[in-house]
Amino acid sequence: MFTKEDYQNYFTELEEIFSKNVIAYTDMINILNNQSIKSKLLPLATEDMNAYKFIKQEKEKHFQP
């Protein structure tokens, strides 16, 4: 059985993963000059940003004192 702390750690790890992905995608989008590649990266960055926001909201909802 998982404890509340286990779930909190899981959400924290997910939050960190998606945060790093968003940073990487944003950096690549800002560096690239090729509009075709940028247009393919933008939906990926948006999807990861939405996942990051969702995880952050759920973490705050369930684990705030």
Side-chain angles (χ1 to χ4, degrees):
M1 189 81 187
F2 294 109
T3 66
K4 187 173 183 176
E5 185 178 301
D6 291 334
Y7 281 113
Q8 189 170 7
N9 290 337
Y10 174 72
F11 274 97
T12 299
E13 288 178 22
L14 284 176
E15 188 178 5
E16 290 173 6
I17 290 169
F18 282 107
S19 174
K20 289 177 184 178
N21 285 349
V22 170
I23 290 168
Y25 284 135
T26 304
D27 289 346
M28 284 190 284
I29 289 170
N30 289 334
I31 291 170
L32 292 171
N33 292 326
N34 188 325
Q35 191 60 38
S36 175
I37 296 173
K38 282 183 174 185
S39 67
K40 289 174 177 68
L41 288 176
L42 188 58
L44 297 173
T46 303
E47 186 176 309
D48 278 359
M49 185 61 176
N50 290 337
Y52 171 79
K53 287 178 182 178
F54 174 76
I55 290 167
K56 191 170 178 85
Q57 288 171 349
E58 290 299 307
K59 184 179 167 189
E60 290 173 359
K61 181 169 60 173
H62 294 289
F63 303 112
Q64 288 300 319

